[in-house]
Amino acid sequence: MHPVSAQRQAGLGFTLVELMVGLAILSLMLAIGVPSMRTWLNASNALVAAEFYAEGLKTARAEAVKRNATARLTLLESASGGQMDWRIDMCVPTSAVKCNADEGSWSTKDAAADGDSVADFRSITRVATNLPGTNMLTMTRNDGAVAVYFTPLGWVDGSVAPSLSKIELAPAASQAGAFPTSAVAVTLAGVVSKCNPNAPAHDSRGCPP
């Protein structure tokens, strides 16, 4: 075998130095970039959670108007112990029987309520399995409310209390400051919006009073 020339040995050594420098730079970039990427992912997941609950509220209101009936959105404890699931039920009010927690024929996932306008409606349930866990994201609700009722006109039924009007989604204690708190709000007129509960007064991104 021919001995490796000094020139080739020098070239090989230079290549190894380049590799080491490259690895050092890559390690530095990862050290800086990974935490930023994790923060971005956490913030994105929080926005996904807000959209999940906003979708439920908007769907409930739309079904109430579409079917000229009362719609109820209820937050349910998750079987997995994570964020709360939601369910939409329908009921047709009459002059004699109102649709509230104590009265009315409400739909279930297996059966429709009484009334032609909801004869084909089965309760809609969405599970929060894919949302960040409670170790990442905490939920708070106004007055601990778990349900909101929409009238056939799409307004929130103010006679039922407490009525769910705002859901705040904040970083868990172990994630404090990792991403901004977000919220979903619904007004008495039934308008649903995603908002920033910490925005200053008169900021258009803030939550309605």
Side-chain angles (χ1 to χ4, degrees):
M1 296 180 63
H2 298 288
V4 179
S5 67
Q7 184 178 5
R8 289 183 63 188
Q9 286 180 342
L12 182 60
F14 184 71
T15 301
L16 288 174
V17 169
E18 283 185 326
L19 178 60
M20 293 176 66
V21 171
L23 289 174
I25 293 173
L26 179 61
S27 298
L28 180 61
M29 292 176 65
L30 287 173
I32 296 173
V34 169
S36 298
M37 178 63 73
R38 187 178 296 114
T39 298
W40 178 81
L41 287 173
N42 289 341
S44 298
N45 287 336
L47 292 176
V48 168
E51 183 59 40
F52 174 79
Y53 295 108
E55 177 196 358
L57 290 164
K58 290 176 181 178
T59 302
R61 182 177 189 267
E63 290 290 340
V65 174
K66 171 182 158 183
R67 297 174 182 277
N68 192 34
T70 297
R72 174 180 63 195
L73 179 131
T74 307
L75 298 179
L76 308 167
E77 293 294 337
S78 172
S80 64
Q83 304 300 337
M84 300 186 80
D85 304 333
W86 56 256
R87 186 186 70 227
I88 297 172
D89 309 313
M90 299 295 296
C91 172
V92 179
T94 67
S95 57
V97 181
K98 296 181 179 180
C99 292
N100 54 38
D102 302 315
E103 296 182 71
S105 171
W106 289 92
S107 65
T108 68
K109 66 177 183 178
D110 299 317
D114 295 334
D116 293 339
S117 64
V118 293
D120 61 342
F121 184 91
R122 303 294 186 274
S123 296
I124 302 171
T125 301
R126 295 290 182 269
V127 296
T129 306
N130 294 326
L131 298 186
T134 53
N135 61 324
M136 297 287 296
L137 191 67
T138 61
M139 172 197 288
T140 56
R141 308 174 306 279
N142 62 290
D143 304 316
V146 294
V148 57
Y149 293 72
F150 292 95
T151 71
L153 295 177
W155 287 67
V156 170
D157 186 349
S159 68
V160 180
S163 179
L164 183 66
S165 62
K166 186 165 70 173
I167 300 171
E168 287 194 20
L169 300 161
S174 62
Q175 304 293 318
F179 52 89
T181 297
S182 58
V184 179
V186 55
T187 66
L188 284 175
V191 177
V192 179
S193 63
K194 290 175 289 183
C195 56
N196 178 2
N198 298 322
H202 309 300
D203 190 319
S204 61
R205 295 167 296 179
C207 298

